Amino acid sequence: MKPAHERAGTRGGLSRRARWWVLAGVAAVSLGAVGVYGVQALEDHRARTTGTSAAELALALPDGPHVTFRNTASGEGYGKVSSVALADPGGARQVSGQACDRVDVAGEYLSCLRTLRGVPTTFETQVYDSGQGLSGSPVTTWPLAGIPSRTRVSDDGLVATTAFVTGHSYAADSFSTETTVRGAGGPDGRDYGNLQDFGISVGGAPLTAIDRNVWGVTFAGGDRFYATVASGGTTWLMEGDFGARTMTSVATDAECPSVSPDGSRVAFKVRRDSGGDLVGGSGVHWDVAVLDLASGERTVIELERGIDDQLEWLDEDTLLYGLPREDAGWDADVFALEAETGAEPELFIEHAWSPSVVR
């Protein structure tokens, strides 16, 4: 008769050794599938980044005011930070040697959020001296907690970043973000950490819910900033104070704010109740809204095709945003939109994403 431990291993089906073989087989199949997916993804990436560019390229950075963005034209320079003259947004673009998922420029610094593909895939922030461009080494680098989502740079050298820790879309049922703010320069010393740890209040009452999320910082000068806070299915536009480490609600139903150049208005995306019949079945459609901070008047600009981007002010009257192409999600275009009711978006830069206006 077999020993008791061997008899126990065969009760109810497979022996312990057989179960291990089955487990090993399942693991091998899973790893094989991951390998096939990884190879296919790499081949797709190579196909997009090789060959003649779908956009006209320039050898030098444009003189004077320009727009810096992520180039999404297939071929040479795909995914790289690029710039085009503000006076000729449809003209030739200068392409750098650095790939970024999101980019922003202000004052002396450029922020680049990157995905480092490998095993495992990691994410990081790189900050460059905007005067020297991306040809040199970054001024400073730090890891991101997850998938790059948003970044903004202040005129006095603060860098805000938002990453998806779980999930990958603000349209998802559940996601978690990490939004941090710190000084760009190494000896700067400013580090405000995760904004979720700030004192947050809604209507004068503390918001302490465990599901609260913070994203989409925009700087307003000095210690002031605006950001989105969400909890329990509600989003708020928050005015923050770095010195006091607080955020206070200003308005409801507001996401990814952007302060106008003169500081008098805040533009943001606003959800429309669409009933789940949208392209992709997400049931989420974002229009554009502009809030006058003095009067509290909100202007909503309804869009035929909703956006999912943090707006950028081109000037006092015009907004910019990126929109992925419906037939090729890896490609996108930047549109311009007048900040008034009834405005219609107009194509501003083809094959572009994450615009940042540099004057």
Side-chain angles (χ1 to χ4, degrees):
M1 181 178 292
K2 292 183 179 180
H5 68 278
E6 291 188 21
R7 295 199 306 273
T10 61
R11 289 172 186 163
L14 297 173
S15 67
R16 183 176 301 165
R17 177 175 293 180
R19 288 198 300 271
W20 275 111
W21 278 111
V22 170
L23 180 60
V26 171
V29 171
S30 298
L31 288 174
V34 170
V36 170
Y37 174 80
V39 170
Q40 184 60 53
L42 182 59
E43 288 302 317
D44 290 344
H45 182 72
R46 285 176 177 169
R48 289 196 293 269
T49 57
T50 57
T52 304
S53 175
E56 182 185 357
L57 304 184
L59 296 177
L61 189 70
D63 291 330
H66 55 277
V67 182
T68 294
F69 55 92
R70 180 178 189 262
N71 175 47
T72 63
S74 61
E76 178 188 354
Y78 174 81
K80 303 295 180 65
V81 175
S82 303
S83 297
V84 69
L86 191 59
D88 185 20
R93 62 191 63 182
Q94 183 268 349
V95 178
S96 76
Q98 182 60 279
C100 300
D101 296 303
R102 300 289 311 200
V103 62
D104 191 57
V105 189
E108 299 178 2
Y109 298 102
L110 180 151
S111 173
C112 164
L113 305 192
R114 303 181 63 207
T115 298
L116 305 177
R117 292 174 175 82
V119 182
T121 294
T122 58
F123 312 96
E124 72 175 8
T125 302
Q126 289 188 337
V127 180
Y128 291 84
D129 183 325
S130 61
Q132 297 181 0
L134 291 157
S135 57
S137 299
V139 174
T140 186
T141 300
W142 62 83
L144 280 174
I147 300 170
S149 174
R150 305 283 186 253
T151 188
R152 282 291 186 268
V153 181
S154 73
D155 289 335
D156 64 344
L158 286 175
V159 177
T161 65
T162 296
F164 284 111
V165 179
T166 61
H168 62 277
S169 170
Y170 296 108
D173 291 334
S174 64
F175 63 88
S176 177
T177 60
E178 180 176 287
T179 296
T180 65
V181 176
R182 63 192 295 178
D188 188 304
R190 292 178 293 176
D191 187 351
Y192 297 104
N194 190 339
L195 297 191
Q196 188 173 310
D197 298 328
F198 275 31
I200 302 175
S201 61
V202 174
L207 178 66
T208 58
I210 196 171
D211 72 335
R212 66 185 186 178
N213 273 307
V214 182
W215 69 87
V217 169
T218 180
F219 297 103
D223 279 346
R224 292 176 59 243
F225 67 96
Y226 292 89
T228 301
V229 170
S231 176
T234 301
T235 60
W236 295 272
L237 173 66
M238 292 274 175
E239 181 176 358
D241 185 313
F242 289 121
R245 296 181 63 85
T246 58
M247 286 188 282
T248 305
S249 62
V250 174
T252 58
D253 192 17
E255 301 179 51
C256 297
S258 181
V259 177
S260 65
D262 67 359
S264 67
R265 292 173 294 169
V266 178
F268 46 84
K269 62 180 190 175
V270 56
R271 289 184 185 235
R272 184 197 304 182
D273 185 6
S274 55
D277 56 352
L278 299 176
V279 174
S282 68
V284 178
H285 181 110
W286 284 286
D287 291 317
V288 170
V290 180
L291 178 70
D292 185 289
L293 293 171
S295 67
E297 180 181 355
R298 178 185 297 211
T299 300
V300 177
I301 308 166
E302 294 189 349
L303 303 174
E304 181 177 350
R305 187 176 173 208
I307 70 167
D308 186 8
D309 193 17
Q310 186 165 11
L311 296 155
E312 167 80 348
W313 288 84
L314 173 63
D315 51 42
E316 294 292 352
D317 302 309
T318 312
L319 298 159
L320 299 179
Y321 62 87
L323 193 63
R325 295 193 171 193
E326 292 182 299
D327 59 344
W330 49 267
D331 197 357
D333 300 304
V334 169
F335 287 84
L337 181 72
E338 295 299 314
E340 59 185 33
T341 303
E344 294 289 340
E346 297 182 1
L347 182 64
F348 188 70
I349 306 176
E350 284 191 295
H351 307 299
W353 177 251
S354 190
S356 180
V357 178
V358 182
R359 293 184 174 80

